[in-house]
Amino acid sequence: MECDDRLIVALDFPTSEEAKECMRELGESVSYYKVGMELYYAAGNEIISFLKQEGKKVFLDLKLQDIPNTVAHAMTVLSFLGTDMLNLHAIGGRKMMFEAAAAVREASVKEGKNPPKLLAVTVLTSMDKTQFDDLNYKNTIAEQVIALASLAKEAGMDGVVASPKEAAAIRKACGKDFLIVTPGVRPVGAALDDQSRVATPVAALKNGATHIVVGRPVTKAENRRAAAEAIASEIKGV
Ligand code: C5P
């Protein structure tokens, strides 16, 4: 079966052994993996090198946010690992995003490599209205997502991480070449876990997502390979 780069499987595991076992089971059915805080803090750069040696694409999802200088330097170091996508929090602001983008691209030019795609996280897909209201923003979730996506674009980001529910509005606001990576994707009948603003893989792509991130519906499935292949065949032709 042909691999679909639009499907990114989240390797949310506490050890590299468990992540590698999952990769072995998925074999050729998945070409793009997301390494998040749990696995990266446990397994470090070794797991990134392993994924790259296996010929996989890597989205390193560490959601950085700090002063602009710190984030710019940290993102540069992470780009040297050969990652294909990196991200930061858009609420870190215009200057933080701008300096991170400039630093990563300058370092890649010096190395003679393509820079990784840089994404900004808008509003976490686990946030519902009650939790969002606690933060006292003047915008609704939908308005805040668009405001942050537009800011990210202006600051030089390649795209955003957002809920599939907001993908269509982001596409409209940010134009056709902007990457929209959507977690909170649940195949029909799958458990929601702690996600709130979810959609099916097909709906996410039809709404304008360029990539879908799927974790537990694949990694916790009895037959992981069958679960990944089912999503790949579901999205074929969409
Ligand atoms: O298991 P599940 O499919 O919910 O995994 C979704 C993955 O996407 C998790 O690794 C989570 O950290 C990540 N993520 C998210 N919402 C965001 C950004 C990343 O759920 N806004």
Side-chain angles (χ1 to χ4, degrees):
M1 170 152 201
E2 223 177 274
C3 256
D4 192 325
D5 263 5
R6 295 175 302 167
L7 170 63
I8 303 178
V9 171
L11 286 174
D12 292 325
F13 292 103
T15 64
S16 68
E17 289 70 33
E18 285 163 88
K20 286 176 184 173
E21 192 195 326
C22 179
M23 284 176 62
R24 263 194 301 278
E25 280 178 40
L26 292 171
E28 294 303 310
S29 67
V30 173
S31 56
Y32 217 140
Y33 285 100
K34 183 175 87 65
V35 175
M37 294 182 201
E38 183 185 17
L39 182 59
Y40 188 70
Y41 294 155
N45 295 346
E46 188 265 337
I47 192 71
I48 309 294
S49 308
F50 180 81
L51 281 157
K52 294 310 298 178
Q53 275 159 24
E54 294 288 305
K56 304 298 182 187
K57 287 191 165 182
V58 180
F59 168 18
L60 184 51
D61 173 27
L62 297 181
K63 302 185 180 71
L64 302 196
Q65 188 189 346
D66 206 313
I67 58 171
N69 181 64
T70 301
V71 171
H73 286 109
M75 294 283 268
T76 303
V77 169
L78 296 175
S79 74
F80 290 149
L81 302 175
T83 45
D84 299 278
M85 264 188 212
L86 292 171
N87 64 357
L88 43 66
H89 269 292
I91 50 169
R94 185 190 301 272
K95 192 164 190 284
M96 187 195 82
M97 290 191 274
F98 182 82
E99 290 190 15
V104 167
R105 288 178 192 137
E106 195 186 310
S108 300
V109 168
K110 273 194 195 143
E111 294 260 304
K113 288 183 184 157
N114 286 331
K117 299 293 182 196
L118 302 179
L119 306 177
V121 176
T122 55
V123 178
L124 293 173
T125 46
S126 54
M127 279 264 167
D128 58 15
K129 188 175 178 309
T130 313
Q131 288 189 74
F132 188 76
D133 287 347
D134 287 341
L135 301 175
N136 272 313
Y137 288 119
K138 68 174 172 31
N139 287 334
T140 61
I141 292 183
E143 288 165 350
Q144 183 74 350
V145 167
I146 296 305
L148 291 174
S150 305
L151 179 67
K153 189 176 178 198
E154 280 172 32
M157 294 288 110
D158 296 299
V160 286
V161 184
S163 152
K165 298 277 183 206
E166 285 117 24
I170 295 171
R171 176 67 59 226
K172 202 166 158 221
C174 298
K176 76 172 170 48
D177 294 325
F178 205 56
L179 298 175
I180 304 176
V181 177
T182 61
V185 172
R186 290 290 178 268
V188 182
L192 289 188
D193 306 303
D194 59 348
Q195 297 286 14
S196 290
R197 303 189 330 278
V198 301
T200 62
V202 170
L205 293 170
K206 281 194 172 158
N207 282 347
T210 51
H211 299 81
I212 54 173
V213 174
V214 185
R216 288 161 287 184
V218 169
T219 57
K220 302 261 186 265
E222 198 135 317
N223 185 336
R224 289 165 167 164
R225 188 164 182 135
E229 284 177 350
I231 295 172
S233 60
E234 210 177 309
I235 64 176
K236 208 172 173 184
V238 177

